[in-house]
Amino acid sequence: IAAAALHRETRLDDTALELVALRAERYFAEDVGKGMELMPGAVELIQSMLGRARLAIVTRASRREVDFVLGLAGLDQAFEVVVTREDVLAPKPSPEGFERALQRLAKLRRISRPTSSLALEDSAAGVLAAKAVKIPVIAVGHVAEHYGTHAEARVDSLVGQTLASLTTLVERAIGR
Protein backbone atom coordinates (compact mmCIF):
# COMPACT_ATOMS: atom_id res chain seq x y z
CA ILE A 1 0.00 0.00 0.00
CA ALA A 2 2.82 2.36 0.88
CA ALA A 3 4.54 1.59 -2.43
CA ALA A 4 1.32 2.27 -4.34
CA ALA A 5 0.95 5.60 -2.54
CA LEU A 6 4.52 6.56 -3.40
CA HIS A 7 3.93 5.57 -7.03
CA ARG A 8 0.99 7.98 -7.11
CA GLU A 9 3.15 10.56 -5.30
CA THR A 10 0.80 10.53 -2.33
CA ARG A 11 2.13 10.53 1.22
CA LEU A 12 0.19 8.57 3.79
CA ASP A 13 0.93 8.63 7.49
CA ASP A 14 0.94 5.41 9.55
CA THR A 15 -2.69 5.85 10.60
CA ALA A 16 -3.87 6.32 7.01
CA LEU A 17 -1.86 3.30 5.87
CA GLU A 18 -3.40 1.18 8.62
CA LEU A 19 -6.92 2.32 7.71
CA VAL A 20 -6.35 1.51 4.03
CA ALA A 21 -4.99 -1.95 4.96
CA LEU A 22 -7.96 -2.65 7.25
CA ARG A 23 -10.40 -1.58 4.54
CA ALA A 24 -8.68 -3.85 2.02
CA GLU A 25 -8.89 -6.77 4.46
CA ARG A 26 -12.58 -6.06 5.07
CA TYR A 27 -13.32 -6.06 1.32
CA PHE A 28 -11.34 -9.30 0.94
CA ALA A 29 -13.30 -10.94 3.77
CA GLU A 30 -16.60 -9.77 2.23
CA ASP A 31 -15.62 -11.24 -1.15
CA VAL A 32 -14.51 -14.52 0.39
CA GLY A 33 -17.72 -14.68 2.42
CA LYS A 34 -19.70 -14.51 -0.83
CA GLY A 35 -18.16 -17.77 -1.95
CA MET A 36 -14.52 -17.81 -2.91
CA GLU A 37 -12.99 -20.99 -4.24
CA LEU A 38 -9.38 -22.02 -4.50
CA MET A 39 -7.97 -22.69 -7.93
CA PRO A 40 -9.82 -25.65 -9.50
CA GLY A 41 -8.11 -28.90 -8.51
CA ALA A 42 -6.14 -27.34 -5.64
CA VAL A 43 -8.11 -28.92 -2.78
CA GLU A 44 -7.98 -32.38 -4.38
CA LEU A 45 -4.26 -32.09 -5.08
CA ILE A 46 -3.48 -30.95 -1.54
CA GLN A 47 -5.60 -33.71 -0.02
CA SER A 48 -3.86 -36.32 -2.20
CA MET A 49 -0.47 -35.07 -1.00
CA LEU A 50 -1.24 -35.27 2.71
CA GLY A 51 1.11 -37.73 4.35
CA ARG A 52 3.13 -38.04 1.14
CA ALA A 53 4.78 -34.61 1.05
CA ARG A 54 5.52 -31.86 3.53
CA LEU A 55 3.45 -28.88 2.49
CA ALA A 56 4.17 -25.19 2.94
CA ILE A 57 2.57 -21.96 1.79
CA VAL A 58 4.49 -18.83 0.89
CA THR A 59 2.10 -15.97 0.22
CA ARG A 60 1.74 -12.21 0.09
CA ALA A 61 -1.59 -12.56 1.93
CA SER A 62 -1.95 -11.92 5.66
CA ARG A 63 -2.04 -14.72 8.23
CA ARG A 64 -5.67 -13.90 8.93
CA GLU A 65 -6.61 -14.17 5.25
CA VAL A 66 -4.74 -17.47 4.84
CA ASP A 67 -6.31 -18.98 7.96
CA PHE A 68 -9.76 -17.90 6.79
CA VAL A 69 -9.40 -19.33 3.28
CA LEU A 70 -7.81 -22.59 4.46
CA GLY A 71 -10.56 -22.98 7.04
CA LEU A 72 -13.27 -22.53 4.40
CA ALA A 73 -11.56 -25.12 2.19
CA GLY A 74 -11.17 -27.59 5.06
CA LEU A 75 -7.39 -27.44 4.73
CA ASP A 76 -6.52 -25.69 8.00
CA GLN A 77 -4.31 -28.60 9.14
CA ALA A 78 -2.78 -29.48 5.75
CA PHE A 79 0.28 -27.23 5.85
CA GLU A 80 3.21 -27.65 8.20
CA VAL A 81 4.63 -24.24 7.39
CA VAL A 82 2.81 -21.05 6.42
CA VAL A 83 4.83 -17.93 5.60
CA THR A 84 2.70 -14.81 5.20
CA ARG A 85 3.41 -11.15 4.61
CA GLU A 86 3.82 -10.65 8.36
CA ASP A 87 6.76 -13.07 8.36
CA VAL A 88 8.94 -11.25 5.82
CA LEU A 89 10.33 -7.80 5.24
CA ALA A 90 10.12 -7.94 1.46
CA PRO A 91 7.31 -9.52 -0.57
CA LYS A 92 7.76 -11.66 -3.67
CA PRO A 93 9.75 -11.47 -5.94
CA SER A 94 12.10 -11.33 -2.97
CA PRO A 95 13.17 -14.90 -2.13
CA GLU A 96 12.84 -14.19 1.61
CA GLY A 97 9.53 -16.03 2.00
CA PHE A 98 10.81 -19.18 0.31
CA GLU A 99 14.04 -19.03 2.31
CA ARG A 100 12.03 -18.80 5.51
CA ALA A 101 9.76 -21.71 4.50
CA LEU A 102 12.78 -23.89 3.67
CA GLN A 103 14.39 -23.03 7.01
CA ARG A 104 11.21 -23.90 8.92
CA LEU A 105 10.72 -27.18 7.04
CA ALA A 106 14.36 -28.10 7.64
CA LYS A 107 14.04 -27.35 11.34
CA LEU A 108 10.96 -29.58 11.58
CA ARG A 109 12.91 -32.42 9.96
CA ARG A 110 16.14 -31.62 11.82
CA ILE A 111 18.13 -31.26 8.60
CA SER A 112 20.07 -28.40 7.05
CA ARG A 113 17.77 -27.99 4.03
CA PRO A 114 15.02 -30.05 2.42
CA THR A 115 16.59 -32.28 -0.22
CA SER A 116 13.83 -31.88 -2.76
CA SER A 117 11.31 -29.11 -3.11
CA LEU A 118 8.81 -28.00 -5.70
CA ALA A 119 6.97 -24.69 -5.93
CA LEU A 120 3.60 -24.20 -7.58
CA GLU A 121 3.24 -20.53 -8.46
CA ASP A 122 0.45 -18.53 -10.03
CA SER A 123 2.32 -15.24 -10.31
CA ALA A 124 5.39 -13.96 -12.09
CA ALA A 125 6.75 -12.60 -8.80
CA GLY A 126 6.33 -16.02 -7.20
CA VAL A 127 8.15 -17.79 -10.04
CA LEU A 128 11.08 -15.39 -9.71
CA ALA A 129 11.16 -15.73 -5.90
CA ALA A 130 11.26 -19.55 -6.00
CA LYS A 131 13.89 -19.57 -8.74
CA ALA A 132 16.07 -17.23 -6.66
CA VAL A 133 16.42 -19.96 -4.02
CA LYS A 134 16.82 -22.68 -6.64
CA ILE A 135 13.47 -24.36 -6.07
CA PRO A 136 12.07 -25.97 -9.23
CA VAL A 137 8.86 -24.16 -10.19
CA ILE A 138 5.71 -25.10 -12.03
CA ALA A 139 3.83 -22.04 -13.23
CA VAL A 140 0.10 -22.61 -12.78
CA GLY A 141 -2.65 -20.84 -14.65
CA HIS A 142 -2.19 -17.72 -16.66
CA VAL A 143 1.25 -16.64 -15.50
CA ALA A 144 2.57 -14.40 -18.25
CA GLU A 145 4.41 -16.52 -20.82
CA HIS A 146 7.55 -14.43 -20.39
CA TYR A 147 7.78 -15.38 -16.72
CA GLY A 148 6.41 -18.84 -17.25
CA THR A 149 9.55 -19.60 -19.24
CA HIS A 150 11.58 -19.18 -16.05
CA ALA A 151 9.65 -22.10 -14.58
CA GLU A 152 10.65 -25.69 -15.23
CA ALA A 153 7.11 -26.45 -16.38
CA ARG A 154 3.73 -24.84 -16.85
CA VAL A 155 0.22 -26.22 -16.36
CA ASP A 156 -3.03 -24.46 -17.14
CA SER A 157 -4.84 -26.06 -14.21
CA LEU A 158 -4.36 -28.26 -11.17
CA VAL A 159 -7.36 -30.40 -12.10
CA GLY A 160 -6.24 -34.01 -12.31
CA GLN A 161 -2.70 -33.25 -11.19
CA THR A 162 -0.92 -35.45 -8.64
CA LEU A 163 2.39 -35.29 -6.84
CA ALA A 164 3.69 -37.88 -9.32
CA SER A 165 2.51 -35.97 -12.40
CA LEU A 166 4.00 -32.70 -11.17
CA THR A 167 7.29 -34.36 -10.21
CA THR A 168 7.48 -36.00 -13.65
CA LEU A 169 7.01 -32.62 -15.35
CA VAL A 170 9.93 -31.15 -13.41
CA GLU A 171 12.17 -34.18 -13.86
CA ARG A 172 11.62 -34.10 -17.63
CA ALA A 173 12.40 -30.40 -17.72
CA ILE A 174 15.67 -30.70 -15.84
CA GLY A 175 16.70 -33.84 -17.70
CA ARG A 176 16.61 -36.51 -15.03
Side-chain angles (χ1 to χ4, degrees), residues 108-125:
L108 289 172
R109 297 176 77 182
R110 295 185 178 101
I111 57 175
S112 61
R113 180 179 163 114
T115 54
S116 63
S117 301
L118 171 64
L120 301 176
E121 272 297 336
D122 65 350
S123 73

Side-chain angles (χ1 to χ4, degrees), residues 55-75:
L55 302 177
I57 292 177
V58 177
T59 180
R60 291 187 269 180
S62 73
R63 172 70 60 170
R64 196 167 104 195
E65 293 165 343
V66 171
D67 289 345
F68 185 68
V69 171
L70 290 178
L72 285 176
L75 298 172

Side-chain angles (χ1 to χ4, degrees), residues 137-156:
V137 183
I138 295 178
V140 180
H142 301 292
V143 177
E145 289 296 327
H146 172 74
Y147 288 103
T149 59
H150 291 291
E152 278 67 26
R154 187 174 181 285
V155 294
D156 290 327

Side-chain angles (χ1 to χ4, degrees), residues 1-171:
I1 296 170
L6 286 174
H7 179 70
R8 297 201 64 203
E9 297 180 7
T10 303
R11 294 194 48 85
L12 298 175
D13 63 20
D14 288 344
T15 302
L17 283 172
E18 190 169 326
L19 288 172
V20 170
L22 288 171
R23 182 172 288 167
E25 282 187 23
R26 186 181 81 222
Y27 289 141
F28 174 80
E30 287 172 3
D31 285 345
V32 170
K34 292 175 186 171
M36 177 187 159
E37 292 182 13
L38 296 179
M39 181 177 289
V43 172
E44 295 79 8
L45 175 62
I46 293 164
Q47 288 173 338
S48 75
M49 295 170 100
L50 293 176
R52 299 179 65 218
R54 304 194 86 153
L55 302 177
I57 292 177
V58 177
T59 180
R60 291 187 269 180
S62 73
R63 172 70 60 170
R64 196 167 104 195
E65 293 165 343
V66 171
D67 289 345
F68 185 68
V69 171
L70 290 178
L72 285 176
L75 298 172
D76 33 5
Q77 300 301 314
F79 295 88
E80 291 184 61
V81 172
V82 177
V83 178
T84 65
R85 71 174 176 224
E86 292 94 350
D87 299 316
V88 296
L89 295 175
K92 296 174 186 177
S94 165
E96 183 183 0
F98 281 103
E99 290 168 346
R100 190 143 314 189
L102 289 171
Q103 290 167 354
R104 289 179 184 174
L105 284 169
K107 186 175 181 180
L108 289 172
R109 297 176 77 182
R110 295 185 178 101
I111 57 175
S112 61
R113 180 179 163 114
T115 54
S116 63
S117 301
L118 171 64
L120 301 176
E121 272 297 336
D122 65 350
S123 73
V127 169
L128 294 174
K131 294 301 296 178
V133 292
K134 303 194 180 349
I135 297 175
V137 183
I138 295 178
V140 180
H142 301 292
V143 177
E145 289 296 327
H146 172 74
Y147 288 103
T149 59
H150 291 291
E152 278 67 26
R154 187 174 181 285
V155 294
D156 290 327
S157 168
L158 295 176
V159 173
Q161 297 293 341
T162 64
L163 178 58
S165 68
L166 296 171
T167 302
T168 299
L169 284 173
V170 170
E171 287 174 349

